[in-house]
Amino acid sequence: MTPAQDPFYIVKDEIQDSIDKVQDTFLQWKQTPENTGEYVHLTKELLTSCESIQWQVDELEKAISVAERDPAYYGLNEAEIGRRRSWTSTARNQVLALKRNVEGARQKSVFGRSTNPSESIRSKKNIAQDNDEFIASESDQQMLLIKRQDEELDALSASVQRIGGVGLTIHDELVGQEKLLGELSLDMETTTNRLDFVQKRVAMVMKKASWKGQIMMIAFLVILFIILFVLVFLT
């Protein structure tokens, strides 16, 4: 299986694209002034994206663990398994480092604004509000992901049912054709037996009859053939 056809490399490319986009957003976030709506929006976007990428890396590592149990079955070797684990580890570390930077900057920004107790209380409330909004956003992301998975499962189930229906139809047709062939074979066998019987009877009659009788027999059969031909084809 070539890398272009290997599901691991397909998912890997998708995750790498997501990491590249997150890194670009991180650079934009660092250049954005704090205490602005854009800064808050980019912070939430970065944290949500990091969580999503971490989940994808976790799923990819689960798939690697399954392949590691029987590498030969999946056309892999220990070196390839090692390379795949090395990549997922690197990707995870990149995302975790970026996530820690964002979370650390957010905490520092919140607690470094003022030492006034009333402002500190307001800051804690803001933190709690941000956390609630982040949790709600993460919950929405999870619900959307679950919905997409349910839709994919429904589509897969419908495809399986269609394939099963086609299989049953083919089976019924094969059974019907087999039955027809059996009946045709039986009819041919019966007809063959009858022809053999008639040929034997005719041979016996021909042996017993004289040459005049044979001529009369042939004439009778010709006349009978003509009569049958007329009845069948001309009436």
Side-chain angles (χ1 to χ4, degrees):
M1 182 183 297
T2 62
Q5 298 173 334
D6 195 322
F8 170 82
Y9 287 100
I10 296 174
V11 176
K12 172 190 171 184
D13 291 340
E14 293 177 355
I15 295 175
Q16 187 61 55
D17 289 341
S18 299
I19 293 175
D20 294 339
K21 292 179 181 177
V22 168
Q23 289 175 341
D24 292 339
T25 305
F26 178 73
L27 294 176
Q28 181 183 356
W29 173 81
K30 290 181 66 176
Q31 298 172 358
T32 302
E34 298 180 7
N35 301 326
T36 62
E38 184 181 2
Y39 183 86
V40 175
H41 173 73
L42 290 175
T43 300
K44 293 178 181 179
E45 181 181 347
L46 283 170
L47 293 175
T48 302
S49 298
C50 288
E51 291 290 339
S52 177
I53 293 173
Q54 281 183 291
W55 179 82
Q56 294 179 52
V57 173
D58 289 340
E59 293 299 315
L60 197 58
E61 286 186 340
K62 291 178 182 179
I64 294 174
S65 298
V66 173
E68 191 174 18
R69 297 173 188 171
D70 189 4
Y73 179 80
Y74 297 95
L76 304 175
N77 52 41
E78 294 183 0
E80 178 62 20
I81 295 291
R83 285 193 293 270
R84 296 188 179 193
R85 285 204 176 277
S86 175
W87 184 88
T88 55
S89 177
T90 301
R92 181 186 297 280
N93 291 336
Q94 288 178 341
V95 175
L96 286 175
L98 191 148
K99 182 180 177 183
R100 291 192 188 101
N101 286 332
V102 176
E103 290 178 340
R106 185 175 68 169
Q107 296 294 334
K108 182 179 179 181
S109 174
V110 170
F111 287 107
R113 289 175 185 172
S114 176
T115 57
N116 188 298
S118 61
E119 292 187 5
S120 178
I121 293 173
R122 286 196 297 271
S123 297
K124 291 181 180 179
K125 290 182 179 179
N126 290 333
I127 294 173
Q129 183 179 359
D130 289 342
N131 289 336
D132 292 339
E133 291 178 355
F134 172 73
I135 292 173
S137 176
E138 185 67 17
S139 177
D140 292 340
Q141 291 288 338
Q142 294 295 331
M143 291 298 296
L144 180 60
L145 180 61
I146 292 173
K147 182 179 179 180
R148 289 178 179 175
Q149 290 177 344
D150 290 339
E151 292 175 353
E152 291 176 357
L153 288 175
D154 291 340
L156 179 61
S157 176
S159 298
V160 171
Q161 290 179 356
R162 287 195 296 270
I163 293 173
V166 172
L168 290 175
T169 302
I170 294 174
H171 173 72
D172 293 340
E173 291 180 356
L174 290 175
V175 171
Q177 291 179 1
E178 183 179 2
K179 183 178 179 180
L180 290 174
L181 289 174
E183 294 176 352
L184 179 61
S185 177
L186 181 61
D187 291 342
M188 291 181 65
E189 184 177 356
T190 301
T191 303
T192 301
N193 293 334
R194 290 178 179 177
L195 286 174
D196 291 341
F197 175 76
V198 171
Q199 288 177 353
K200 291 179 180 179
R201 297 288 295 179
V202 171
M204 291 176 61
V205 171
M206 294 293 289
K207 288 181 179 179
K208 293 180 180 180
S210 61
W211 65 274
K212 292 183 179 181
Q214 292 178 1
I215 293 175
M216 292 180 65
M217 178 66 67
I218 293 173
F220 174 76
L221 291 174
V222 171
I223 294 171
L224 180 61
F225 174 76
I226 293 172
I227 294 172
L228 291 174
F229 179 82
V230 172
L231 290 175
V232 173
F233 294 100
L234 300 181
T235 60

